[in-house]
Every structure is written in structure tokens, then in C-alpha cells.
Amino acid sequence: MKKITFLLFVFVLSTNTLVAQEKAVEKAVLTYIENFFENKFEEMNAVLHPRLSKRGLNPNGKINEDLPPAKLKEMMQKKRALPLAKQQNKVVDIRVFNKTAQVTLITGYPRMKWKEYITLVQMNGKWKLIDVFWEYYPRKKGMKPQKRRKKN
């Protein structure tokens, strides 16, 4: 009976730890994407690894250039902010192994959506995004591509 109780205790403890880790990973990913859309670089940068590499597959099938934190900052200074209320962010398929995690993020806004495949590493007890790869969902028939607007 003591052995079963001990095993049950260990199982509950490990499950609680995993759930806490998954919540921390989800929070890091949402901090990244919400602040990216809102053009809040410093808040976003708090969850980015200095060696972050972000890239993606454009609709034409070409992989865009790497976007380390410095290039993301430049991009964010030029693009229009998107308020949280208009963002559509959903973290799915969180997998944690020791000090690494992988996540799928479904994100976008009403007219455009994409998936981001994110790898995180735990450093000093905090989760940091180190790799992001994205791909757009196919456009619905009849939808025209959005024109890029310059920030005034």
C-alpha cells in the first residue's frame, strides 16, 4: 500500500510540474506574438533568445531571410500595430522535454492566417524562443492579396 501511495504521489507531482512547464511555454509564446503584433519590441524581446532565427515560407514557395531580434525590431518600427482584440492567436501541440519545448502557434488576423512552428529553450528558469518557422494558410478563392501599407 505504501508503494502504491508513493507512486501515485510521484505521478501527481510530475504531472503538476509538466502542466506548469506547458503553461510557462504557452505564456512565452503568447508574449512573443501579442507584442510582435502590437509593435512592443522590448516586451517581446524579453522572451527571445539572442540567437533567435525566424524565417518562413512565402506564398511563392521561397524561404524568406532570417529575422534575428535586431531585424524584427526594424520591421516592427515600420509596420502598423495590430491591437490584441484583432489578433487570432492559439497555442497548440505543446511538447516539453527537459529544457527544450516545441509548439505550434496558429496566428493571424481575420484576412490572413499562418502557422508558426516554434522551438524554445529554458535558460535560467525562463523559456526563450530560439527558432521560429512559419507558413501561410492557403488563401480562400476570391480573396485578393492585401496591399502593404506604409506606416505614417
Side-chain angles (χ1 to χ4, degrees):
M1 184 66 162
K2 287 182 182 182
K3 189 174 185 179
I4 292 173
T5 303
F6 176 75
L7 290 174
L8 185 57
F9 173 76
V10 169
F11 174 75
V12 169
L13 185 62
S14 64
T15 301
N16 287 342
T17 302
L18 181 59
V19 169
Q21 291 284 35
E22 288 175 351
K23 287 189 182 294
V25 166
E26 180 178 29
K27 183 178 180 192
V29 170
L30 290 174
T31 296
Y32 146 71
I33 195 65
E34 290 170 0
N35 288 296
F36 172 77
F37 279 136
E38 291 185 311
N39 295 341
K40 296 178 181 175
F41 177 76
E42 294 306 321
E43 291 87 339
M44 179 190 72
N45 196 44
V47 296
L48 301 182
H49 190 281
R51 293 180 56 193
L52 170 83
S53 180
K54 178 175 176 166
R55 69 191 80 71
L57 190 61
N58 291 314
N60 63 9
K62 293 186 179 178
I63 295 175
N64 74 328
E65 66 178 289
D66 281 5
L67 297 170
K71 286 213 177 191
L72 285 174
K73 184 176 185 177
E74 287 176 27
M75 175 195 294
M76 292 166 74
Q77 291 170 339
K78 296 174 186 173
K79 72 177 189 63
R80 243 168 79 183
L82 181 67
L84 184 58
K86 293 190 177 187
Q87 298 177 29
Q88 298 177 349
N89 305 317
K90 185 177 181 184
V91 178
V92 297
D93 194 25
I94 301 170
R95 290 175 277 149
V96 177
F97 175 76
N98 200 16
K99 295 191 181 292
T100 59
Q102 290 186 315
V103 171
T104 301
L105 170 66
I106 300 169
T107 188
Y109 38 90
R111 293 180 53 115
M112 185 176 284
K113 287 189 182 293
W114 60 92
K115 277 189 180 184
E116 296 193 7
Y117 301 96
I118 301 171
T119 302
L120 300 95
V121 61
Q122 192 178 51
M123 297 177 57
N124 302 320
K126 297 186 184 204
W127 289 101
K128 304 284 185 172
L129 285 76
I130 193 163
D131 186 66
V132 177
F133 191 88
W134 51 265
E135 182 179 6
Y136 290 107
Y137 278 92
R139 292 190 188 275
K140 294 178 182 171
K141 284 188 176 184
M143 282 188 76
K144 294 181 182 178
Q146 282 187 313
K147 292 182 181 177
R148 290 195 135 178
R149 294 186 212 176
K150 291 184 180 178
K151 185 178 177 182
N152 294 330

